[in-house]
Amino acid sequence: MAEGLTTVFGTPILRAVTLATGTFIFWYNAYSAVFLLHLTKDLGLEGGTVGMVLGIGALGGVVGAVTAPWAGRAIGLEPVLMVALALSAGGMSLAALLTQPWWAAVVCVALSQFLLSVGQGIYNVQQVPIRYALAPHRLQGRGNASIRSVVWGLAPLGALVGGAAGAALGLRATLLASSVLGAASVLWIWRSPLRHTHSLRL
């Protein structure tokens, strides 16, 4: 465990990507804690409509994964990571944009889920190989386990914060705040050595 954590947090690029991913996951889970309540309580959507917008989101994930290699080659590693995180956070914010008329609210939610999933598809395809490019071969398993422990360890904490915020501030306010704070994850990438890195070769 110590070797894995030392590898991750002792390597500036790995540290930045891990903190960016962890920050986004924290606020995404805060968002997720109130998202379905917003759809059913604020918008009054029925199960079939909820399933439809979530399905559109899944399609966005496929689009993001397919276009990720092209996007990375076209604009470089650091810009594509930042754009993908910003696109994901922007998609999150659209879910709370409109409540009326009904059809417009549904379109916003569907577009929200599509853009969020496109962004995450691109981001994950681009960021996961970084740990294998930079971690020493014998420590790749430990480094990967450390990253996943940090990132996904933050997920339940984010959900707790989202639930508390939803109860105190309201569902729409929590969705919007989570999306704005999720967008702050790009700062970890922007301030890292990735600013001067176009690509990493395995």
Side-chain angles (χ1 to χ4, degrees):
M1 290 172 62
E3 284 184 313
L5 290 169
T6 299
T7 297
V8 171
F9 287 96
T11 306
I13 290 177
L14 279 179
R15 181 174 63 244
V17 173
T18 299
L19 292 173
T21 307
T23 299
F24 184 85
I25 289 296
F26 181 93
W27 292 112
Y28 172 72
N29 278 271
Y31 164 94
S32 297
V34 298
F35 174 68
L36 287 178
L37 289 174
H38 170 66
L39 298 191
T40 56
K41 286 192 170 185
D42 291 347
L43 303 184
L45 302 188
E46 296 182 352
T49 307
V50 171
M52 179 191 70
V53 299
L54 294 178
I56 290 172
L59 178 61
V62 175
V63 172
V66 169
T67 58
W70 170 84
R73 290 191 298 269
I75 66 175
L77 184 57
E78 185 234 13
V80 79
L81 291 174
M82 293 180 64
V83 168
L85 287 170
L87 182 63
S88 299
M92 287 165 60
S93 69
L94 287 178
L97 185 62
L98 295 175
T99 58
Q100 294 293 334
W102 180 87
W103 64 267
V106 171
V107 168
C108 276
V109 172
L111 182 60
S112 160
Q113 296 307 289
F114 182 81
L115 294 178
L116 167 61
S117 296
V118 169
Q120 284 300 284
I122 294 172
Y123 181 77
N124 287 326
V125 168
Q126 292 291 334
Q127 67 92 4
V128 170
I130 293 173
R131 63 191 73 169
Y132 300 111
L134 297 181
H137 187 268
R138 74 177 189 88
L139 295 175
Q140 286 186 353
R142 277 163 276 189
N144 186 55
S146 297
I147 292 170
R148 292 184 65 83
S149 295
V150 170
V151 168
W152 294 109
L154 290 170
L157 299 178
L160 285 172
V161 169
L169 304 175
L171 303 178
R172 289 185 72 196
T174 301
L175 291 176
L176 290 171
S178 298
S179 65
V180 171
L181 292 167
S185 58
V186 303
L187 296 176
W188 294 111
I189 305 295
W190 182 70
R191 292 173 57 85
S192 78
L194 280 169
R195 293 183 65 182
H196 310 293
T197 303
H198 187 273
S199 65
L200 296 172
R201 293 187 180 275
L202 292 170

